Amino acid sequence: MITVLQDTFDHFAIGPFPYDPKHSALGEYHYYPPEGYLGGWYDPIVYYGWLGPTWIVTEDRGTKYMEQTRPQAAIARHWPLLVKGEESWRDYTYEATVRPLSTHSHTGIVFRYQHSRRHYFLGFEGGKLLLMKRDQERVIELASAAFAYDADHYYRLRIVCEGPRFRAFVDGSELLAAEDDAYACGKIGLSSRMPAQYANVVVEMTEAAHEKWLTANRSAQLKLAMRRGEYPQPRLWKTIDFKNFGTARQIRFGHLTGDGSLQMVLAQHQKRGHKDAYAHISCLTALTLDGDVLWQLGEPSPLLDHALLSADLPFQVCDVDGDGFDEVVMARNFELMILDGRTGEVKRSIPTPLCKEPTERPLYTVPHNQYAFDRLNVDSIRIANFSGKATATDILIKDRYSRVWVFDNELNPLWTFHERNTGHFPYTADVDGDGRDEMFIGYHLVDHDGTLLWTLPVDTDHTDEILIGHWDPSRKDPLIAIASGDEGFMIGDLQGNLLQKHRIGHAQRVSVGNYRPDLPGLELCVSTFWGEQGIVYIFGADGTILHQFEPTCNGNVITPVNWTGEGDDLVLLNGSVKHGGLIDGHGLRVVTFPDDGHPELCAEVLDVTGDGRDEILLWDTQRMYIYTQDRPAAAPVVVPDKYSHSNASNYRGEFNYPKRV
């Protein structure tokens, strides 16, 4: 037998396995890995309600243990996991020493691990030894046998994987056997829904299985190298120093000077009250792509807490008065303002709306069940065309997560909307062809005058991201796709009918692009966060799952990228050298970033060179690196119809609809 993994945890110092101590939402769209030594393991399960670490390294009588610390009452439906190994491992023997510190729920090991919602499990539960398969929400028992175990002893679990056949052992005795061909390969892991200790993890292969794996691995790496050769690779185009006014995902782009060139506006903030619920813009800086400051409002701060935020900030860049120069529409210190994009001077302003507690409809998820201010602390802003003008100039503002107010470009009030659950960021489009936008918000479609048209039959959680588009060529009308947290990923029609609902975990982000040019229509990409974090799914135009995998990190923005200009799209994960880059519709990392010291916190795509293809922007609070392609584009370039820069948000579904120029 050939040992391909052995871990006694001796290389760890005692203490917590690395985790985010704030259990924050930053990893939804920032590459925000936990700090500390991982030893090749990773924890794919996170939850906002948790405190402290899930896993700790402890020691007793000279033996190191990896210990799962959370009881079932604290973890709800989630399965704490710690994972290691190669996704290409096929036939192997995996064994680990396990001690259940409680017998009230399952404790064991996972194998042929695809992602945190698809794997096999061997372990103890309910007085039995169980062999199970998890596939999303379904947990299927493959085999079981009565087994007397307790919390005082260590047990040596072993699983032997030979093609579709599994043999399970405890302390050297074979007790179970089963066959299943659902998952042909995968990593290994530890899993317990009650506190448990693990020691001495070993994975072995027979010489024949090892040679077969090496051969297959070499072939796969060669194919990947050839595939990467088909794509341009990143070439550094420009770096920008943010000095003391840098920020994380709070950047907007626009044409402030009116000469056709792009500029950016960076926002810093201060937190008010409860966590990120009432963030307040403290500094706004307008900057050229050469790093020259055009103007600045407020006082910049070097504090990281003034840059990192797990929410939107209320500002957009758009020409709302038709003078040929983009304005900055923003809310600050309970004022809604329109700033001159060239100078930062205030052109118009009004107080934000009074928003005392309503009695007829309670507010949704308000900290401490009481809104903190008499006037609205604006959560986010969207520019829309409810008035039927030639361009979008109406200003929509909202709280978090219940109410909407709409104003025209002179800040005159038009209407309000309150249906309790608005989600993060609405989508506006003229879906009925009357020349005026409708608004899809939360689970509701709202007419241009604020009239509720219909609500999807969904009762819980809130919508994180929305798309409305015509990606399915088999259907005449556009569809609505929403990523709605624990409700999953859903597709509906414009009549309010829910057509598909995929329980894939906590659906967080969604995008659409031509990810599989070999298939009809466009494809949808969806990622997860809370609970089983960081799973990426590719759906066909008809809503069927084409591919699913786990990139082993957070911060996957899954933005479509027009990288080649030839009509096919790639998906941006994040800026990490190790985990990030661009994937194709099969989940292959066909474009990777150079190990040149670039920032990895934030990632975005934008055509800044003007050739019709997207550049990749990577930045942190100190600097930005902009990458373009290392080779010229083939002509003619297919330029996608993308989300307007005037409606930036951390909670918008991204899209690429190709068009030729």
Side-chain angles (χ1 to χ4, degrees), residues 112-160:
R112 286 193 177 170
Y113 176 96
Q114 309 278 295
H115 57 64
S116 55
R117 296 173 63 84
R118 283 168 62 87
H119 51 258
Y120 296 107
F121 169 87
L122 171 66
F124 307 117
E125 184 170 20
K128 295 190 293 185
L129 179 69
L130 289 172
L131 186 57
M132 301 189 296
K133 176 175 69 174
R134 180 173 183 185
D135 185 4
Q136 299 295 348
E137 299 289 303
R138 295 192 306 153
V139 179
I140 302 164
E141 182 179 304
L142 301 178
S144 67
F147 188 87
Y149 63 95
D150 57 42
D152 299 322
H153 292 86
Y154 292 94
Y155 303 92
R156 191 68 177 168
L157 290 180
R158 176 200 271 182
I159 186 73
V160 178

Coordinates of all heavy atoms in Angstrom, one line a residue, residues 112-160:
R112 N -15.0 10.3 -0.6 CA -15.4 10.7 -1.9 C -16.2 12.0 -1.9 O -17.3 12.1 -2.4 CB -16.1 9.6 -2.6 CG -15.2 8.5 -3.0 CD -15.8 7.5 -4.0 NE -14.8 6.5 -4.4 CZ -15.1 5.4 -5.1 NH1 -16.4 5.1 -5.4 NH2 -14.2 4.6 -5.5
Y113 N -15.6 13.0 -1.2 CA -16.2 14.2 -0.9 C -16.2 15.1 -2.2 O -15.2 15.5 -2.7 CB -15.5 14.9 0.2 CG -15.9 16.3 0.6 CD1 -16.8 16.5 1.6 CD2 -15.4 17.4 -0.1 CE1 -17.1 17.8 2.0 CE2 -15.8 18.7 0.3 CZ -16.6 18.9 1.3 OH -17.0 20.2 1.7
Q114 N -17.4 15.4 -2.7 CA -17.6 16.3 -3.8 C -17.6 17.8 -3.4 O -16.9 18.6 -3.9 CB -18.8 16.0 -4.6 CG -19.0 14.5 -5.0 CD -18.2 14.2 -6.2 OE1 -18.5 14.7 -7.3 NE2 -17.2 13.3 -6.0
H115 N -18.5 18.0 -2.5 CA -18.6 19.3 -1.8 C -19.4 19.1 -0.5 O -19.8 17.9 -0.2 CB -19.2 20.5 -2.7 CG -20.5 20.2 -3.2 ND1 -21.7 20.1 -2.5 CD2 -21.0 20.1 -4.5 CE1 -22.7 19.9 -3.2 NE2 -22.3 20.0 -4.5
S116 N -19.7 20.1 0.2 CA -20.2 19.9 1.6 C -21.7 19.5 1.6 O -22.2 19.2 2.7 CB -20.1 21.2 2.4 OG -20.7 22.3 1.7
R117 N -22.3 19.4 0.4 CA -23.7 18.8 0.3 C -23.7 17.5 -0.5 O -24.8 17.0 -0.8 CB -24.6 19.9 -0.3 CG -24.8 21.1 0.6 CD -25.6 22.2 0.0 NE -26.9 21.8 -0.3 CZ -27.9 21.9 0.6 NH1 -27.7 22.3 1.8 NH2 -29.2 21.5 0.2
R118 N -22.6 17.0 -0.9 CA -22.5 15.8 -1.7 C -21.3 15.0 -1.3 O -20.1 15.3 -1.6 CB -22.4 16.1 -3.2 CG -23.8 16.5 -3.8 CD -23.6 17.1 -5.2 NE -23.0 16.2 -6.2 CZ -23.7 15.3 -6.9 NH1 -25.0 15.2 -6.8 NH2 -23.1 14.6 -7.8
H119 N -21.5 13.9 -0.6 CA -20.4 13.1 -0.1 C -21.0 11.8 0.5 O -22.2 11.7 0.8 CB -19.5 13.8 0.9 CG -20.2 14.4 2.0 ND1 -20.5 15.8 2.1 CD2 -20.8 13.9 3.1 CE1 -21.2 16.1 3.1 NE2 -21.4 15.0 3.8
Y120 N -20.1 10.9 0.8 CA -20.5 9.7 1.6 C -20.0 9.9 3.1 O -19.0 10.6 3.3 CB -19.8 8.4 1.0 CG -20.3 8.0 -0.4 CD1 -19.4 8.2 -1.4 CD2 -21.5 7.5 -0.6 CE1 -19.8 7.9 -2.7 CE2 -21.9 7.1 -1.9 CZ -21.1 7.4 -2.9 OH -21.5 7.0 -4.2
F121 N -20.7 9.1 4.0 CA -20.4 9.3 5.4 C -20.3 7.9 6.0 O -21.2 7.0 5.7 CB -21.5 10.1 6.1 CG -21.4 10.1 7.6 CD1 -20.6 10.9 8.3 CD2 -22.1 9.1 8.3 CE1 -20.5 10.9 9.7 CE2 -22.1 9.1 9.7 CZ -21.3 10.0 10.4
L122 N -19.3 7.6 6.9 CA -19.3 6.4 7.7 C -19.1 6.9 9.1 O -18.2 7.6 9.5 CB -18.1 5.6 7.3 CG -17.8 4.4 8.2 CD1 -18.9 3.4 8.2 CD2 -16.5 3.7 7.9
G123 N -20.0 6.4 10.0 CA -19.8 6.8 11.4 C -21.0 6.2 12.3 O -21.7 5.3 11.9
F124 N -21.0 6.8 13.5 CA -21.9 6.3 14.5 C -23.1 7.2 14.7 O -23.0 8.5 14.7 CB -21.2 6.2 15.9 CG -20.0 5.4 15.8 CD1 -18.7 6.0 16.1 CD2 -20.0 4.1 15.5 CE1 -17.6 5.3 16.1 CE2 -18.8 3.3 15.5 CZ -17.6 3.9 15.8
E125 N -24.3 6.7 14.8 CA -25.5 7.4 15.2 C -26.6 6.5 15.7 O -26.8 5.4 15.1 CB -26.0 8.3 14.0 CG -27.2 9.2 14.4 CD -27.5 10.2 13.3 OE1 -27.2 10.0 12.2 OE2 -28.2 11.2 13.6
G126 N -27.2 6.8 16.8 CA -28.4 6.1 17.2 C -28.1 4.6 17.6 O -28.9 3.8 17.3
G127 N -26.9 4.3 18.1 CA -26.6 3.0 18.5 C -26.3 2.1 17.3 O -26.3 0.9 17.4
K128 N -25.9 2.7 16.2 CA -25.6 1.9 15.0 C -24.3 2.5 14.3 O -24.0 3.6 14.5 CB -26.8 2.0 14.0 CG -28.1 1.4 14.4 CD -29.1 1.3 13.3 CE -29.6 2.7 12.8 NZ -30.6 2.5 11.8
L129 N -23.7 1.6 13.5 CA -22.7 2.1 12.6 C -23.4 2.3 11.2 O -24.1 1.4 10.8 CB -21.6 1.0 12.4 CG -20.5 1.3 11.4 CD1 -19.7 2.5 11.9 CD2 -19.7 0.1 11.1
L130 N -23.3 3.5 10.7 CA -24.0 3.8 9.5 C -23.1 4.1 8.3 O -22.0 4.8 8.5 CB -24.9 5.1 9.7 CG -26.1 5.0 10.6 CD1 -26.6 6.4 10.9 CD2 -27.1 4.1 10.0
L131 N -23.5 3.7 7.1 CA -22.9 4.1 5.9 C -23.9 4.9 5.1 O -25.0 4.3 4.7 CB -22.4 2.9 5.1 CG -21.6 3.1 3.8 CD1 -20.3 3.9 4.1 CD2 -21.2 1.7 3.2
M132 N -23.7 6.2 4.8 CA -24.8 7.0 4.2 C -24.2 7.8 3.0 O -23.0 8.0 2.9 CB -25.3 8.0 5.3 CG -25.9 7.3 6.5 SD -26.8 8.5 7.6 CE -25.5 9.5 8.1
K133 N -25.1 8.3 2.2 CA -24.8 9.2 1.1 C -25.6 10.4 1.3 O -26.8 10.4 1.5 CB -25.2 8.5 -0.2 CG -25.0 9.5 -1.4 CD -25.2 8.8 -2.8 CE -26.7 8.5 -3.0 NZ -26.9 7.9 -4.3
R134 N -24.9 11.6 1.2 CA -25.7 12.8 1.2 C -25.6 13.4 -0.2 O -24.6 13.5 -0.8 CB -25.0 13.8 2.2 CG -25.8 15.2 2.2 CD -25.3 16.2 3.2 NE -26.2 17.3 3.2 CZ -26.0 18.4 3.9 NH1 -25.0 18.5 4.7 NH2 -26.9 19.4 3.8
D135 N -26.8 13.8 -0.6 CA -27.0 14.5 -1.9 C -27.9 15.7 -1.7 O -29.1 15.5 -1.7 CB -27.5 13.5 -3.0 CG -27.6 14.2 -4.4 OD1 -27.1 15.3 -4.5 OD2 -28.1 13.5 -5.3
Q136 N -27.4 16.8 -1.5 CA -28.1 18.1 -1.2 C -29.0 17.8 0.1 O -28.4 17.5 1.1 CB -29.0 18.4 -2.4 CG -28.2 18.8 -3.7 CD -27.3 20.0 -3.6 OE1 -27.4 20.8 -2.6 NE2 -26.5 20.2 -4.5
E137 N -30.3 17.9 0.0 CA -31.1 17.8 1.1 C -31.4 16.3 1.5 O -31.8 16.0 2.6 CB -32.5 18.4 0.9 CG -32.4 19.9 0.6 CD -32.1 20.7 1.8 OE1 -32.8 20.6 2.8 OE2 -31.0 21.5 1.8
R138 N -31.1 15.4 0.6 CA -31.4 14.0 0.9 C -30.2 13.3 1.5 O -29.0 13.4 1.1 CB -31.7 13.3 -0.4 CG -33.0 13.7 -1.1 CD -33.3 12.8 -2.2 NE -32.2 12.6 -3.2 CZ -32.1 11.5 -3.9 NH1 -32.9 10.5 -3.8 NH2 -31.1 11.4 -4.8
V139 N -30.5 12.5 2.6 CA -29.5 11.7 3.2 C -30.0 10.2 3.1 O -31.1 9.9 3.7 CB -29.3 12.1 4.7 CG1 -28.3 11.1 5.4 CG2 -28.8 13.5 4.8
I140 N -29.3 9.4 2.4 CA -29.7 8.1 2.1 C -28.8 7.0 2.8 O -27.6 7.1 2.7 CB -29.6 7.8 0.6 CG1 -30.5 8.9 -0.2 CG2 -30.1 6.4 0.2 CD1 -30.2 9.0 -1.6
E141 N -29.5 6.2 3.6 CA -28.7 5.1 4.3 C -28.4 4.0 3.3 O -29.3 3.4 2.6 CB -29.6 4.5 5.4 CG -28.8 3.4 6.2 CD -29.6 2.9 7.4 OE1 -30.1 3.7 8.2 OE2 -29.9 1.7 7.4
L142 N -27.1 3.7 3.1 CA -26.7 2.6 2.2 C -26.6 1.3 3.0 O -26.8 0.2 2.4 CB -25.4 3.0 1.6 CG -25.3 4.3 0.8 CD1 -23.9 4.5 0.2 CD2 -26.3 4.2 -0.4
A143 N -26.2 1.4 4.3 CA -26.0 0.1 5.1 C -25.9 0.5 6.5 O -25.5 1.7 6.8 CB -24.8 -0.7 4.6
S144 N -26.3 -0.4 7.4 CA -26.2 -0.1 8.8 C -26.1 -1.4 9.6 O -26.5 -2.5 9.1 CB -27.3 0.8 9.4 OG -28.6 0.0 9.3
A145 N -25.6 -1.3 10.8 CA -25.5 -2.4 11.7 C -25.5 -1.9 13.2 O -24.9 -0.9 13.5 CB -24.3 -3.3 11.5
A146 N -26.2 -2.7 14.0 CA -26.1 -2.3 15.5 C -24.7 -2.3 16.0 O -23.9 -3.2 15.6 CB -27.0 -3.3 16.3
F147 N -24.4 -1.3 16.7 CA -23.0 -1.2 17.3 C -23.0 -0.4 18.6 O -23.5 0.7 18.6 CB -22.1 -0.5 16.3 CG -20.6 -0.5 16.6 CD1 -19.9 -1.6 16.3 CD2 -20.1 0.5 17.4 CE1 -18.5 -1.7 16.6 CE2 -18.7 0.4 17.8 CZ -18.0 -0.7 17.4
A148 N -22.5 -1.0 19.6 CA -22.5 -0.4 20.9 C -21.2 0.5 21.0 O -20.1 0.0 21.0 CB -22.5 -1.5 22.0
Y149 N -21.4 1.8 21.1 CA -20.3 2.7 21.3 C -20.6 3.7 22.4 O -21.8 3.8 22.8 CB -20.0 3.4 20.0 CG -21.2 4.3 19.5 CD1 -21.2 5.7 19.8 CD2 -22.2 3.8 18.7 CE1 -22.3 6.5 19.3 CE2 -23.3 4.6 18.3 CZ -23.3 5.9 18.6 OH -24.3 6.7 18.2
D150 N -19.6 4.3 22.9 CA -19.9 5.3 24.0 C -18.9 6.5 23.8 O -18.1 6.5 22.8 CB -19.7 4.6 25.3 CG -18.3 4.0 25.5 OD1 -17.3 4.6 25.1 OD2 -18.3 2.8 26.1
A151 N -19.0 7.4 24.8 CA -18.2 8.6 24.7 C -16.8 8.5 25.4 O -16.1 9.4 25.5 CB -18.9 9.8 25.3
D152 N -16.5 7.3 25.8 CA -15.3 7.1 26.6 C -14.2 6.4 25.9 O -13.0 6.2 26.4 CB -15.6 6.2 27.9 CG -16.6 6.9 28.8 OD1 -16.5 8.2 28.9 OD2 -17.5 6.2 29.3
H153 N -14.5 5.9 24.7 CA -13.5 5.1 23.9 C -13.2 5.7 22.5 O -14.0 6.5 22.0 CB -14.0 3.7 23.7 CG -14.1 2.9 25.0 ND1 -15.2 2.9 25.8 CD2 -13.2 2.0 25.6 CE1 -15.0 2.1 26.8 NE2 -13.8 1.6 26.7
Y154 N -12.0 5.4 22.1 CA -11.6 5.8 20.7 C -11.8 4.6 19.8 O -11.6 3.4 20.2 CB -10.1 6.2 20.7 CG -9.8 7.5 21.4 CD1 -9.4 7.5 22.7 CD2 -10.0 8.7 20.8 CE1 -9.1 8.6 23.4 CE2 -9.7 9.9 21.4 CZ -9.3 9.8 22.7 OH -9.0 11.0 23.4
Y155 N -12.3 4.8 18.6 CA -12.6 3.8 17.6 C -11.8 4.1 16.3 O -11.8 5.2 15.9 CB -14.1 3.7 17.3 CG -14.9 3.5 18.6 CD1 -15.4 4.6 19.3 CD2 -15.2 2.2 19.0 CE1 -16.2 4.4 20.5 CE2 -16.0 2.0 20.2 CZ -16.4 3.1 20.9 OH -17.2 2.9 22.0
R156 N -11.3 3.0 15.7 CA -10.6 3.2 14.5 C -11.6 2.9 13.3 O -11.9 1.7 13.1 CB -9.4 2.2 14.4 CG -8.4 2.5 13.3 CD -7.7 3.8 13.4 NE -6.7 4.0 12.4 CZ -6.2 5.2 12.2 NH1 -6.5 6.2 12.9 NH2 -5.3 5.3 11.2
L157 N -12.0 3.9 12.6 CA -12.9 3.8 11.5 C -12.1 3.6 10.2 O -11.1 4.3 10.0 CB -13.9 5.0 11.3 CG -14.9 5.2 12.4 CD1 -15.7 6.4 12.1 CD2 -15.9 4.0 12.5
R158 N -12.5 2.7 9.4 CA -11.9 2.5 8.1 C -12.9 2.2 7.0 O -13.9 1.5 7.2 CB -10.9 1.3 8.2 CG -10.3 1.0 6.8 CD -9.8 -0.4 6.7 NE -8.4 -0.5 7.2 CZ -7.7 -1.7 7.2 NH1 -8.3 -2.8 6.8 NH2 -6.5 -1.7 7.7
I159 N -12.7 2.9 5.9 CA -13.6 2.7 4.7 C -12.7 2.3 3.5 O -11.6 3.0 3.3 CB -14.4 3.9 4.4 CG1 -15.4 3.6 3.2 CG2 -13.6 5.2 4.1 CD1 -16.5 2.7 3.7
V160 N -13.0 1.3 2.8 CA -12.3 0.9 1.6 C -13.2 1.1 0.4 O -14.3 0.6 0.3 CB -11.9 -0.6 1.7 CG1 -11.2 -1.0 0.4 CG2 -11.0 -0.9 2.9

